[in-house]
Amino acid sequence: MARYFKSDNTAPVAPSVMAALAAANQGYCSAYGDDPWTERLAERFDQLFERKVRVFPVATGTAANALALATLVPSYGSVFTHEQAHIVRDECGAPEFMTGGARLQLLPGDGAKLTPAALARGIADHPTSVHTVQPRAVSISQATELGTVYRPHELQALSTLAHAHGLAVHMDGARFANAIAFLGCSPAEATWRAGIDVLSFGATKNGAMAAEAVVFFDPDRAADFEFRRKRAAHLFSKMRFLSVQLLAYLEDGLWLQLAARANANARRLAGAAGDLLLQPVEANEVFVRPGADGIAALRAQGFAFYDWGSTDSGEARFVVCWDQPDGDVDALCTALEGIRSS
């Protein structure tokens, strides 16, 4: 039987989330978000972020990102983002599609993180006129595609620069829980207090079945989001089944407990990987270079993971799930230590 480290999307639903779904699956209520669970969700997100927000449940992270950006950026606009961002590598052009053609302007940065210097260069390198796309937003991944995490002061520096040039700031928070568990700060400190305007709040990777949310910290920015969500077929008629997942996910800090466990097991793998490690391990992803022979040996031992980097790079990515069996983590630690000593 394979030991799965391919993706946190391979994990099951957390028992309490599944129990909440079953409990909500009783009786009748109004559709399209006019239900008690969705009403409570709005209040819960206000509490979580310590201010009045607008929250919109959707089913996928791609929908959350693409629709959030479509609300911020017109078809003739552009979005500055890291060249390895998820919206670039893994969303099949959804942001461009949902915005009606806005361009993603790709910027470099170590650890898949944007820096103020890179953003400033990007802005300077793309002067605007009637002949050009118009920059309208910056999109940041938290945690990044390489498992690194922005500190609040880094987010503040990027946001301050972006806002000075009239750019809104979007955060792709597919692994937001893992980032907050690592930082140990409040969700508010890592979002709107650091200048973030819109957050794609992820839950599916960390214990939900299919539940994400778009959070607008300035309700006025939500503008036509409701219409865009409907037109994109993400206004669920039985919205209670998305909302109840998010409520259960946040209940008693479950979201952070699950993320903290995944992060801790990823750090164990990092310790075993030693000099094979390619990136600091700050969330639940581990990037290593065991070489072609090491990769073959790991697969022969039943570990399932993705190759990373260019073809024949000898690099691999391991993602630790919220419920990763301790035995699987132990076995992979031993295997990585074996490769180092061989």
Side-chain angles (χ1 to χ4, degrees):
M1 182 176 178
R3 298 183 174 106
Y4 271 92
F5 289 89
K6 277 193 166 186
S7 169
D8 29 19
N9 288 320
T10 65
V13 178
S16 57
V17 174
M18 188 66 82
L21 275 164
N25 193 35
Q26 306 292 326
Y28 299 84
C29 69
S30 297
Y32 298 107
D34 188 19
D35 61 82
W37 295 271
T38 305
E39 290 174 4
R40 288 203 301 274
L41 185 67
E43 297 171 358
R44 185 67 185 86
F45 268 79
D46 289 347
Q47 295 166 0
L48 181 68
F49 289 104
E50 304 172 48
R51 67 175 293 168
K52 186 71 176 175
V53 301
R54 291 290 304 279
V55 55
F56 300 91
V58 294
T60 71
T62 297
N65 289 334
L67 289 171
L69 289 171
T71 305
L72 298 174
V73 183
S75 59
Y76 52 84
S78 66
V79 181
F80 289 110
T81 192
H82 195 278
E83 60 194 2
Q84 295 190 58
H86 196 82
I87 62 172
V88 176
R89 295 171 61 96
D90 294 291
E91 294 192 344
C92 197
E96 295 96 323
F97 176 73
M98 292 295 189
T99 58
R103 182 177 298 170
L104 300 182
Q105 305 278 25
L106 309 187
L107 303 175
D110 292 341
K113 293 169 74 172
L114 291 181
T115 63
L119 178 57
R121 284 195 301 273
I123 293 170
D125 289 345
H126 295 88
T128 60
S129 74
V130 71
H131 304 289
T132 66
V133 292
Q134 306 296 301
R136 287 292 186 269
V138 176
S139 183
I140 299 165
S141 302
Q142 180 76 314
T144 72
E145 286 299 282
L146 292 182
T148 54
V149 173
Y150 289 93
R151 279 60 171 175
H153 73 272
E154 294 176 304
L155 296 170
Q156 185 68 71
L158 285 165
S159 297
T160 299
L161 177 60
H163 291 155
H165 288 84
L167 308 177
V169 183
H170 164 258
M171 176 180 283
D172 173 0
R175 295 187 175 95
F176 184 66
N178 301 94
I180 295 299
F182 170 77
L183 292 171
C185 68
S186 71
E189 290 175 279
T191 53
W192 65 269
R193 285 187 179 139
I196 305 302
D197 297 302
V198 184
L199 168 68
S200 296
F201 181 92
T204 304
K205 293 180 184 294
N206 192 42
M209 179 184 291
E212 314 280 309
V214 179
V215 184
F216 288 85
F217 297 110
D218 177 358
D220 290 340
R221 283 193 180 272
D224 58 356
F225 185 90
E226 290 181 282
F227 306 113
R228 291 183 181 278
R229 180 176 62 166
K230 173 64 176 178
R231 193 164 186 252
H234 272 273
L235 176 61
F236 273 54
S237 58
K238 297 185 179 181
M239 186 69 74
R240 59 172 151 165
F241 296 111
L242 271 67
S243 298
V244 74
Q245 290 182 68
L246 293 166
L247 285 168
Y249 181 65
L250 296 174
E251 185 71 24
D252 296 327
L254 176 68
W255 66 302
L256 293 178
Q257 296 167 29
L258 299 181
R261 182 179 185 276
N263 288 4
N265 279 326
R267 288 194 297 273
R268 289 180 57 204
L269 294 181
D275 57 4
L276 302 179
L277 205 62
L278 294 171
Q279 298 290 337
V281 174
E282 297 177 342
N284 64 323
E285 297 177 279
V286 182
F287 294 83
V288 297
R289 186 183 289 117
D293 291 343
I295 286 175
L298 290 167
R299 290 209 164 101
Q301 294 175 64
F303 295 106
F305 55 90
Y306 283 118
D307 292 345
W308 204 255
S310 58
T311 304
D312 301 324
S313 67
E315 299 176 2
R317 183 194 77 167
F318 302 98
V319 184
V320 184
C321 301
W322 67 269
D323 71 334
Q324 200 82 45
D326 290 334
D328 288 1
V329 178
D330 293 339
L332 183 52
C333 285
T334 300
L336 290 170
E337 290 166 350
I339 290 171
R340 290 175 58 199
S341 63
S342 63

PDB file of all heavy atoms in Angstrom, residues 15-32:
ATOM      1  N   PRO A  15     -13.100  14.212  10.743  1.00  0.00           N
ATOM      2  CA  PRO A  15     -14.336  13.632  11.293  1.00  0.00           C
ATOM      3  C   PRO A  15     -15.349  14.663  11.774  1.00  0.00           C
ATOM      4  O   PRO A  15     -16.555  14.506  11.542  1.00  0.00           O
ATOM      5  CB  PRO A  15     -13.821  12.766  12.456  1.00  0.00           C
ATOM      6  CG  PRO A  15     -12.442  12.379  12.045  1.00  0.00           C
ATOM      7  CD  PRO A  15     -11.895  13.580  11.322  1.00  0.00           C
ATOM      8  N   SER A  16     -14.901  15.727  12.424  1.00  0.00           N
ATOM      9  CA  SER A  16     -15.857  16.707  12.935  1.00  0.00           C
ATOM     10  C   SER A  16     -16.511  17.495  11.803  1.00  0.00           C
ATOM     11  O   SER A  16     -17.663  17.922  11.913  1.00  0.00           O
ATOM     12  CB  SER A  16     -15.180  17.661  13.920  1.00  0.00           C
ATOM     13  OG  SER A  16     -14.085  18.315  13.312  1.00  0.00           O
ATOM     14  N   VAL A  17     -15.781  17.682  10.698  1.00  0.00           N
ATOM     15  CA  VAL A  17     -16.376  18.347   9.542  1.00  0.00           C
ATOM     16  C   VAL A  17     -17.423  17.439   8.908  1.00  0.00           C
ATOM     17  O   VAL A  17     -18.519  17.886   8.543  1.00  0.00           O
ATOM     18  CB  VAL A  17     -15.288  18.734   8.523  1.00  0.00           C
ATOM     19  CG1 VAL A  17     -15.905  19.303   7.243  1.00  0.00           C
ATOM     20  CG2 VAL A  17     -14.325  19.755   9.140  1.00  0.00           C
ATOM     21  N   MET A  18     -17.105  16.162   8.798  1.00  0.00           N
ATOM     22  CA  MET A  18     -18.071  15.210   8.240  1.00  0.00           C
ATOM     23  C   MET A  18     -19.297  15.091   9.139  1.00  0.00           C
ATOM     24  O   MET A  18     -20.436  15.016   8.654  1.00  0.00           O
ATOM     25  CB  MET A  18     -17.408  13.841   8.064  1.00  0.00           C
ATOM     26  CG  MET A  18     -18.262  12.831   7.319  1.00  0.00           C
ATOM     27  SD  MET A  18     -18.550  13.294   5.595  1.00  0.00           S
ATOM     28  CE  MET A  18     -17.022  12.722   4.845  1.00  0.00           C
ATOM     29  N   ALA A  19     -19.075  15.108  10.447  1.00  0.00           N
ATOM     30  CA  ALA A  19     -20.207  15.044  11.381  1.00  0.00           C
ATOM     31  C   ALA A  19     -21.088  16.277  11.247  1.00  0.00           C
ATOM     32  O   ALA A  19     -22.325  16.184  11.307  1.00  0.00           O
ATOM     33  CB  ALA A  19     -19.691  14.905  12.811  1.00  0.00           C
ATOM     34  N   ALA A  20     -20.480  17.440  11.041  1.00  0.00           N
ATOM     35  CA  ALA A  20     -21.258  18.669  10.871  1.00  0.00           C
ATOM     36  C   ALA A  20     -22.077  18.620   9.589  1.00  0.00           C
ATOM     37  O   ALA A  20     -23.224  19.087   9.556  1.00  0.00           O
ATOM     38  CB  ALA A  20     -20.326  19.866  10.871  1.00  0.00           C
ATOM     39  N   LEU A  21     -21.500  18.050   8.539  1.00  0.00           N
ATOM     40  CA  LEU A  21     -22.243  17.878   7.294  1.00  0.00           C
ATOM     41  C   LEU A  21     -23.456  16.985   7.505  1.00  0.00           C
ATOM     42  O   LEU A  21     -24.562  17.283   7.036  1.00  0.00           O
ATOM     43  CB  LEU A  21     -21.337  17.277   6.219  1.00  0.00           C
ATOM     44  CG  LEU A  21     -20.481  18.245   5.419  1.00  0.00           C
ATOM     45  CD1 LEU A  21     -19.384  17.494   4.682  1.00  0.00           C
ATOM     46  CD2 LEU A  21     -21.334  19.029   4.436  1.00  0.00           C
ATOM     47  N   ALA A  22     -23.249  15.887   8.216  1.00  0.00           N
ATOM     48  CA  ALA A  22     -24.360  14.965   8.473  1.00  0.00           C
ATOM     49  C   ALA A  22     -25.453  15.631   9.311  1.00  0.00           C
ATOM     50  O   ALA A  22     -26.653  15.458   9.055  1.00  0.00           O
ATOM     51  CB  ALA A  22     -23.841  13.715   9.171  1.00  0.00           C
ATOM     52  N   ALA A  23     -25.040  16.424  10.290  1.00  0.00           N
ATOM     53  CA  ALA A  23     -26.021  17.111  11.144  1.00  0.00           C
ATOM     54  C   ALA A  23     -26.813  18.139  10.355  1.00  0.00           C
ATOM     55  O   ALA A  23     -28.011  18.347  10.597  1.00  0.00           O
ATOM     56  CB  ALA A  23     -25.307  17.770  12.321  1.00  0.00           C
ATOM     57  N   ALA A  24     -26.156  18.797   9.397  1.00  0.00           N
ATOM     58  CA  ALA A  24     -26.849  19.799   8.577  1.00  0.00           C
ATOM     59  C   ALA A  24     -27.758  19.157   7.535  1.00  0.00           C
ATOM     60  O   ALA A  24     -28.620  19.839   6.968  1.00  0.00           O
ATOM     61  CB  ALA A  24     -25.830  20.699   7.888  1.00  0.00           C
ATOM     62  N   ASN A  25     -27.561  17.872   7.325  1.00  0.00           N
ATOM     63  CA  ASN A  25     -28.329  17.157   6.297  1.00  0.00           C
ATOM     64  C   ASN A  25     -29.667  16.670   6.843  1.00  0.00           C
ATOM     65  O   ASN A  25     -30.066  15.522   6.653  1.00  0.00           O
ATOM     66  CB  ASN A  25     -27.501  15.979   5.775  1.00  0.00           C
ATOM     67  CG  ASN A  25     -28.086  15.381   4.516  1.00  0.00           C
ATOM     68  OD1 ASN A  25     -28.647  16.097   3.683  1.00  0.00           O
ATOM     69  ND2 ASN A  25     -27.979  14.069   4.367  1.00  0.00           N
ATOM     70  N   GLN A  26     -30.337  17.549   7.537  1.00  0.00           N
ATOM     71  CA  GLN A  26     -31.629  17.229   8.131  1.00  0.00           C
ATOM     72  C   GLN A  26     -32.606  18.366   7.817  1.00  0.00           C
ATOM     73  O   GLN A  26     -32.286  19.530   8.023  1.00  0.00           O
ATOM     74  CB  GLN A  26     -31.514  17.058   9.660  1.00  0.00           C
ATOM     75  CG  GLN A  26     -30.463  16.065  10.121  1.00  0.00           C
ATOM     76  CD  GLN A  26     -30.801  14.643   9.756  1.00  0.00           C
ATOM     77  OE1 GLN A  26     -31.978  14.263   9.740  1.00  0.00           O
ATOM     78  NE2 GLN A  26     -29.787  13.845   9.455  1.00  0.00           N
ATOM     79  N   GLY A  27     -33.760  18.014   7.333  1.00  0.00           N
ATOM     80  CA  GLY A  27     -34.809  19.006   7.151  1.00  0.00           C
ATOM     81  C   GLY A  27     -34.571  19.945   5.984  1.00  0.00           C
ATOM     82  O   GLY A  27     -33.727  19.708   5.116  1.00  0.00           O
ATOM     83  N   TYR A  28     -35.318  21.046   6.000  1.00  0.00           N
ATOM     84  CA  TYR A  28     -35.359  21.982   4.887  1.00  0.00           C
ATOM     85  C   TYR A  28     -34.957  23.367   5.361  1.00  0.00           C
ATOM     86  O   TYR A  28     -35.161  23.731   6.526  1.00  0.00           O
ATOM     87  CB  TYR A  28     -36.765  22.027   4.287  1.00  0.00           C
ATOM     88  CG  TYR A  28     -37.218  20.695   3.738  1.00  0.00           C
ATOM     89  CD1 TYR A  28     -37.786  19.734   4.577  1.00  0.00           C
ATOM     90  CD2 TYR A  28     -37.064  20.394   2.394  1.00  0.00           C
ATOM     91  CE1 TYR A  28     -38.187  18.506   4.084  1.00  0.00           C
ATOM     92  CE2 TYR A  28     -37.466  19.165   1.886  1.00  0.00           C
ATOM     93  CZ  TYR A  28     -38.026  18.223   2.735  1.00  0.00           C
ATOM     94  OH  TYR A  28     -38.402  17.011   2.245  1.00  0.00           O
ATOM     95  N   CYS A  29     -34.374  24.140   4.440  1.00  0.00           N
ATOM     96  CA  CYS A  29     -34.069  25.536   4.734  1.00  0.00           C
ATOM     97  C   CYS A  29     -33.957  26.274   3.412  1.00  0.00           C
ATOM     98  O   CYS A  29     -33.910  25.665   2.342  1.00  0.00           O
ATOM     99  CB  CYS A  29     -32.771  25.667   5.547  1.00  0.00           C
ATOM    100  SG  CYS A  29     -31.289  25.247   4.630  1.00  0.00           S
ATOM    101  N   SER A  30     -33.905  27.583   3.490  1.00  0.00           N
ATOM    102  CA  SER A  30     -33.811  28.391   2.281  1.00  0.00           C
ATOM    103  C   SER A  30     -32.493  28.124   1.565  1.00  0.00           C
ATOM    104  O   SER A  30     -31.486  27.731   2.171  1.00  0.00           O
ATOM    105  CB  SER A  30     -33.916  29.875   2.618  1.00  0.00           C
ATOM    106  OG  SER A  30     -35.178  30.164   3.188  1.00  0.00           O
ATOM    107  N   ALA A  31     -32.505  28.373   0.260  1.00  0.00           N
ATOM    108  CA  ALA A  31     -31.348  28.064  -0.579  1.00  0.00           C
ATOM    109  C   ALA A  31     -30.505  29.311  -0.858  1.00  0.00           C
ATOM    110  O   ALA A  31     -30.833  30.422  -0.431  1.00  0.00           O
ATOM    111  CB  ALA A  31     -31.820  27.453  -1.898  1.00  0.00           C
ATOM    112  N   TYR A  32     -29.401  29.106  -1.571  1.00  0.00           N
ATOM    113  CA  TYR A  32     -28.523  30.173  -2.078  1.00  0.00           C
ATOM    114  C   TYR A  32     -27.956  31.069  -0.984  1.00  0.00           C
ATOM    115  O   TYR A  32     -27.744  32.258  -1.181  1.00  0.00           O
ATOM    116  CB  TYR A  32     -29.256  31.012  -3.129  1.00  0.00           C
ATOM    117  CG  TYR A  32     -29.666  30.198  -4.333  1.00  0.00           C
ATOM    118  CD1 TYR A  32     -30.995  29.845  -4.551  1.00  0.00           C
ATOM    119  CD2 TYR A  32     -28.701  29.763  -5.247  1.00  0.00           C
ATOM    120  CE1 TYR A  32     -31.369  29.076  -5.655  1.00  0.00           C
ATOM    121  CE2 TYR A  32     -29.063  28.989  -6.344  1.00  0.00           C
ATOM    122  CZ  TYR A  32     -30.388  28.651  -6.544  1.00  0.00           C
ATOM    123  OH  TYR A  32     -30.746  27.882  -7.620  1.00  0.00           O
TER     124      TYR A  32
END
